[in-house]
Amino acid sequence: MSTFVTKSKKNLRENLTELRTPQGVAGRNILAAETKAQAFELTGSGRKNIVHNGAMTVSQEYQTASHNIDGWSVMGVDRFRGTVRPSTGVFSAEQNIITGNHPEGFSRSLLLTQQSVTTEAANDYYNLLTKIEGNDVAHLGLGTEYAKTVTVSFWVKSSITGRYAFGMQNEAGSSARQSYVTDYNIDAPNAWEYKTFVIPLSQTGTWYNDNQAGLQLNWNFGRGTAYQTSNLNIWQTNVNALSHTGTVDWIGNSGATWELTGVQMEIGEAATPFEHRPYSEELILCQRYFCSGFPEGTTIENGTSGNGTNDGVNGWVAFTNSACRSPYIYYPVVMRTTPSISLYSVGAVGTGKWAIFNGSSWQDVVSSSIDSNSKHFNVRENSSSFTMGVGKAYLIKGQWTASAEM
């Protein structure tokens, strides 16, 4: 005996459509994306943070030492620079090891402390900035009809509550300068707060897409009237604006503190979780702009000893009885441009000089000249302390730094 079962007809296509029904606005937007590029931007996947050292983990020049920002350009941690004009109002900077309550996933911050109270004149400013190389922002379409919208996010803490200015600028000066100023509020003293900004990039103006500065991010702590604007959240041309009326005069508060970490800039209109890159990778990104021969964690200064810094290395080759040349010394990465080289003595050798071993003792050189490019440098030394043998090699010792910051 046979048994027959009758079932109602089902439309397979409709059933599959129901299974694919997204939950929430984000899911619908992703499924509605017409290109791979749109889907990529919506998911926030892959490499996304355009800012270097946003977690403040790399501090090659000063390590965790506090130092004053008392001039136009002093690094806080790698890629983040303090600018002060004039030097009568200063603040200190240091890489801080975060303790106690802190944003999840972050162990370091950049800590600023006000050191000298001042009243701003018209042309004064007190700023923190990071400049992003044009090669790294060329895909953002700055200055064209294809300019992207980006989201900037960061964690911040301050002892002084109130409104603070954040902004962007291009590198072009004079009448080609473009500025964008917005603000954020510190609601409670000494508490970490998360801030986000959605910023449509400028479709006009001069923007560099080579190894010059392509985009600058600014945090302001005090300014004169020459650097403030009353227009927020718009791009302005021929305006060098860092802040606006009504913001906190942080630099005028004795002992005030301000702390920053987790800086991220990404394409799109939503802030996604911070992209934590491996330390080794972040270090390499920073070394394109600053590197040194000092062992990691060693203070960069003349007279350093220990950690292998006072050993004779490589060899000078004498080409006259009083002049010799070092071999090429290669940077860990290709630098942004030909860097500025500074020489440091080690051990008991004189300040700012390398030394040569004459067979029984180390001798200071009389003068140095440096040949360099973006990949390596070498040093020519002249010495009158003893007669060298032409064609002979001699031990050398000394340290160096190379800076190609913008």
Side-chain angles (χ1 to χ4, degrees), residues 129 175 214 238:
L129 62 86
S175 60
N238 194 18

Side-chain angles (χ1 to χ4, degrees), residues 72 79 81 129-133 171 213 215-216 406:
W72 181 81
R79 308 307 334 280
R81 183 171 85 199
L129 62 86
T130 183
K131 292 188 176 185
I132 304 173
E133 186 176 336
E171 184 71 1
L215 182 64
Q216 176 176 310
M406 295 173 283

Side-chain angles (χ1 to χ4, degrees), residues 277-303:
R277 290 185 283 254
Y279 176 80
S280 58
E281 184 177 342
E282 205 71 61
L283 176 62
I284 289 172
L285 291 173
C286 293
Q287 285 175 330
R288 178 168 169 81
Y289 307 91
F290 179 89
C291 59
S292 81
F294 285 86
E296 189 170 17
T298 301
T299 301
I300 295 176
E301 61 183 0
N302 286 291

